[in-house]
Amino acid sequence: MKKTFYITTPIYYPSGRFHIGTAYCTTLVDCIKRYKELRGYDAYMLTGLDEHGQKIQTVAEKNGLTPKEYVDTMAKKAKELWNLMDISYNDFIRTTDERHEKVVKKIVQKFLDNGDIYKGVYEDWYCMPCENYFTETQLIDGKCPDCGREVKKMKEEAYFFNMKKYEGWLKDFYKENPNFIEPESRKNEIFSNFINPGLEDLCISRSSFDWGIRMPNDSKHVLYVWLDALTNYITALGYMSDDDTLFKKYWPADLHVVGKEIIRFHGIYWPIFLHALGLELPKKIYAHSWIVMKDGKMSKSVGNVIYPETLIERYGLDATKYYFLRLMGFDKDSMFTPEDFVERYNSDLANDLGNLLNRTIGMMNKYFDGIIPTKIVSKTEFDDSLFEFAKNQIKKVEENMDSYHVSNALSEIWSLISRTNKYIDETSPWVLVKEDQEKLKSVMYNLAEILRKIAILIKPFIPQTSINILNQLNITEENTWESLADNNIIKENTKVVEKGEPLFIRLDKEEEIEYIKNQMNK
Ligand code: MSP
């Protein structure tokens, strides 16, 4: 049986249109899932929507819809976007799904039975957009520490989850599992801000609005979103339901990918909920940073929001995915600029990768009528080092992907692309054609073989381009990850296409920068 790999995105709030921040996170998860599949795992990807809460209720009212009508349209839009982006998710959970609501009630009942939940009065600083209370000390300049907006002092009767009871356990858990959260800097943040000062109990209900799952013991209260939201990762698998096959198969999750601002919920409350349920914990939480704009956070009111459709429609899906995955460092925010997008498109995609394929196809047709030479009897002095370099790069890509350093993995692939372009210059096939036909054969074979490897390496990141390269080379079999170790796979008489199709058409810099700028907020 294949080893399983269960990976999740956060479930997004459908409070507005999904922008490139959301699309980035989903692309990242999809890329890791595809990589794991290529490495032989039975990988399962979950995404979905977090549909309850006051903010959704308010937005729905503004749109003249009931909350349910509103979230239904948003769920449709989310699925359309993930289809457009060719996201290979296995399930899409909505917190309004009956399968979810039913099980959440059972979970809350279990907590009530175990004495983990009590009724009290909550008073603190509340951020409406984030649906989150903050203590005085957590505020930054008197404003929400997550989004920087105004907070209001609020007080209400509410149910609480007794987090304090589990504080000692949580600390022990982190001692034994120091790498549970990556990057480490994010773990340190939650330790200094929340765990070391002493855990606060978590308010888990509201009586001031009703768009939520009712507390099973008290219908005046609806669940406050985080308990409802976090449990999606297990309700989607059928935990506590009649059919829990998927739960048995895939839980515990191998990786929850979340944004840096919600690491507190995944690094403190989620482990405690699971422990209180007697369940195993996920293996890792990876907190990514944000895509920011020149003028700070993306925001409709600032007018700097970019939507993924804008980039996909004009530049293609793979160029958009490439940019997201390459842009984002492991632990620092990354800035989206139209200049950088166009520059990367032209240099990395059109020049480095596109030209490598084009030059290879062109020369193959010119020198060998398009047939990749296979009977190699003589090598150039550069051949061994090229293959040695490729071998090392493959290893580096694997190491980076196994530790979820996705952007680094991509740059290692691009080093191989540059090295291969350099190999063309070093070996100068246009000279060999006159001087040494046998060596020319070797060079042309090697170029095709390295391009085959590159196509496999880029598969999890930009799958369409991967297929496109293999089709143009007409190397469509034996392209598994394992075959990366083999240098002699290309069959005799393989004929590449007569005229190469450019993978990416070079962009006019000024024009496209202007175009993207004009598309902001549209
Ligand atoms: N509903 C909660 C998550 C519950 S998970 C059990 C939520 N939703 S959200 O829609 O506000 O954010 C979802 C994710 O999108 C977060 O991980 C957040 O970090 C990510 N992003 C939102 N804007 C982003 C950027 N500009 N850049 C990168 N990711 C961003 O929080």
Side-chain angles (χ1 to χ4, degrees):
M1 246 202 359
K2 281 186 179 178
K3 275 216 291 194
T4 59
F5 186 84
Y6 177 35
I7 184 169
T8 65
T9 72
I11 46 170
Y12 305 105
Y13 287 134
S15 47
R17 202 173 148 194
F18 307 107
H19 56 55
I20 56 170
T22 337
Y24 158 70
C25 183
T26 309
T27 306
L28 178 68
V29 169
D30 180 57
C31 169
I32 298 172
K33 185 225 172 186
R34 285 172 186 269
Y35 169 73
K36 287 289 171 184
E37 264 172 353
L38 281 171
R39 300 306 310 271
Y41 285 77
D42 170 350
Y44 194 85
M45 170 179 169
L46 176 70
T47 189
L49 293 183
D50 188 358
E51 300 184 344
H52 291 127
Q54 189 165 18
K55 199 175 168 197
I56 302 292
Q57 191 166 359
T58 314
V59 178
E61 277 160 17
K62 268 197 205 140
N63 284 283
L65 298 170
T66 64
K68 182 72 172 84
E69 284 166 349
Y70 173 74
V71 292
D72 282 349
T73 54
M74 292 307 285
K76 196 166 158 264
K77 284 186 184 162
K79 287 181 183 167
E80 277 166 10
L81 177 59
W82 305 146
N83 287 345
L84 175 72
M85 296 192 68
D86 191 22
I87 302 295
S88 61
Y89 63 91
N90 297 83
D91 195 3
F92 188 98
I93 180 100
R94 302 175 55 188
T95 51
T96 54
D97 284 348
E98 201 196 338
R99 59 173 174 157
H100 177 76
E101 296 200 348
K102 251 165 95 176
V103 175
V104 169
K105 283 189 177 162
K106 286 190 197 171
I107 291 173
V108 173
Q109 191 58 54
K110 189 161 172 182
F111 289 153
L112 285 163
D113 296 344
N114 290 348
D116 287 325
I117 290 176
Y118 64 90
K119 197 182 209 177
V121 173
Y122 197 83
E123 186 179 9
D124 227 328
W125 295 101
Y126 187 66
C127 173
M128 291 271 275
C130 297
E131 293 181 320
N132 208 348
Y133 273 107
F134 296 96
T135 60
E136 187 87 35
T137 51
Q138 287 165 355
L139 301 181
I140 297 175
D141 299 331
K143 304 232 164 89
C144 172
D146 286 346
C147 73
R149 282 177 274 207
E150 293 294 332
V151 287
K152 256 195 344 206
K153 195 82 174 192
M154 294 209 349
K155 186 174 175 177
E156 64 184 73
E157 177 198 89
Y159 285 90
F160 287 81
F161 188 97
N162 189 346
M163 292 288 167
K164 289 194 187 85
K165 180 171 149 189
Y166 296 102
E167 188 178 310
W169 169 81
L170 188 73
K171 285 181 172 161
D172 289 345
F173 169 78
Y174 273 105
K175 260 187 220 132
E176 281 158 33
N177 300 279
N179 301 323
F180 182 63
I181 292 178
E182 297 227 33
E184 201 186 359
S185 53
R186 300 282 170 226
K187 181 185 80 181
N188 298 341
E189 268 168 34
I190 63 167
F191 262 81
S192 48
N193 295 338
F194 301 102
I195 302 179
N196 292 338
L199 276 191
E200 300 280 335
D201 289 345
L202 180 74
C203 176
I204 56 151
S205 82
R206 287 280 182 282
S207 51
S208 49
F209 63 90
D210 60 6
W211 179 238
I213 302 176
R214 302 224 168 259
M215 289 284 290
N217 61 324
D218 185 345
S219 61
K220 269 207 333 259
H221 287 256
V222 293
L223 275 179
Y224 160 65
V225 286
W226 281 97
L227 200 163
D228 174 9
L230 287 163
T231 48
N232 88 86
Y233 302 130
I234 51 177
T235 61
L237 295 182
Y239 171 64
M240 276 191 181
S241 74
D242 295 341
D243 182 0
D244 63 356
T245 328
L246 291 175
F247 181 74
K248 287 199 178 113
K249 183 171 179 194
Y250 291 110
W251 192 258
D254 292 270
L255 185 64
H256 292 313
V257 175
V258 302
K260 61 177 186 177
E261 85 288 14
I262 56 173
I263 190 67
R264 162 157 70 116
F265 302 98
H266 289 80
I268 300 177
Y269 308 130
W270 183 223
I272 290 180
F273 287 150
L274 287 167
H275 178 65
L277 289 168
L279 294 179
E280 276 187 81
L281 265 53
K283 298 196 187 121
K284 202 176 273 299
I285 317 265
Y286 169 56
H288 65 76
S289 40
W290 279 352
I291 300 185
V292 293
M293 308 302 272
K294 266 196 196 125
D295 30 18
K297 238 189 128 171
M298 249 182 299
S299 133
K300 259 196 200 159
S301 51
V302 179
N304 61 358
V305 185
I306 288 276
Y307 296 104
E309 294 89 343
T310 305
L311 300 175
I312 296 166
E313 276 156 22
R314 188 138 175 124
Y315 308 108
L317 181 57
D318 276 5
T320 307
K321 283 188 174 176
Y322 175 80
Y323 185 74
F324 290 162
L325 297 170
R326 183 73 193 252
L327 172 75
M328 295 297 287
F330 192 57
D331 48 7
K332 282 196 217 70
D333 285 347
S334 307
M335 196 187 290
F336 174 96
T337 65
E339 291 81 359
D340 190 39
F341 182 89
V342 175
E343 172 62 29
R344 280 236 169 257
Y345 179 106
N346 276 345
S347 71
D348 298 6
L349 298 174
N351 271 4
D352 295 348
L353 180 58
N355 280 350
L356 176 61
L357 180 72
N358 247 320
R359 289 166 91 187
T360 303
I361 300 246
M363 291 190 289
M364 208 71 85
N365 278 302
K366 193 162 164 199
Y367 303 144
F368 297 111
D369 290 329
I371 296 184
I372 305 173
T374 43
K375 295 205 175 69
I376 309 302
V377 292
S378 167
K379 307 196 259 203
T380 79
E381 59 184 299
F382 305 102
D383 295 10
D384 288 345
S385 75
L386 175 69
F387 278 96
E388 193 52 34
F389 190 87
K391 197 170 141 197
N392 280 331
Q393 292 314 104
I394 293 166
K395 201 162 144 246
K396 286 186 194 165
V397 172
E398 289 174 352
E399 282 165 2
N400 276 301
M401 285 308 282
D402 291 339
S403 56
Y404 313 126
H405 287 72
V406 173
S407 152
N408 289 356
L410 261 188
S411 51
E412 298 297 356
I413 300 174
W414 253 256
S415 300
L416 176 59
I417 294 170
S418 302
R419 177 69 192 83
T420 314
N421 273 318
K422 191 171 149 215
Y423 173 78
I424 300 184
D425 299 334
E426 284 168 343
T427 54
S428 313
W430 45 92
V431 177
L432 289 180
V433 70
K434 293 179 215 131
E435 294 175 359
D436 194 332
Q437 277 286 328
E438 288 309 317
K439 281 196 175 137
L440 178 66
K441 281 187 190 165
S442 173
V443 169
M444 294 316 298
Y445 174 85
N446 294 344
L447 286 176
E449 172 53 22
I450 297 287
L451 268 165
R452 184 188 75 89
K453 288 184 164 52
I454 290 167
I456 298 171
L457 290 169
I458 61 173
K459 226 177 194 173
F461 308 85
I462 44 175
Q464 293 179 349
T465 306
S466 166
I467 294 173
N468 192 342
I469 294 175
L470 293 170
N471 282 345
Q472 293 202 40
L473 291 170
N474 198 12
I475 310 177
T476 46
E477 288 162 45
E478 278 297 340
N479 290 315
T480 59
W481 197 272
E482 291 71 52
S483 76
L484 284 171
D486 195 331
N487 295 332
N488 301 299
I489 267 189
I490 300 174
K491 290 199 191 108
E492 249 178 84
N493 289 323
T494 302
K495 193 170 186 322
V496 305
V497 290
E498 258 166 51
K499 200 164 166 356
E501 280 281 313
L503 294 174
F504 299 93
I505 294 163
R506 233 190 124 71
L507 303 175
D508 179 296
K509 210 167 155 186
E510 303 306 318
E511 207 174 291
E512 296 309 319
I513 291 172
E514 221 21 61
Y515 175 83
I516 300 174
K517 282 187 182 157
N518 283 332
Q519 290 301 310
M520 287 194 184
N521 258 17
K522 282 189 190 151

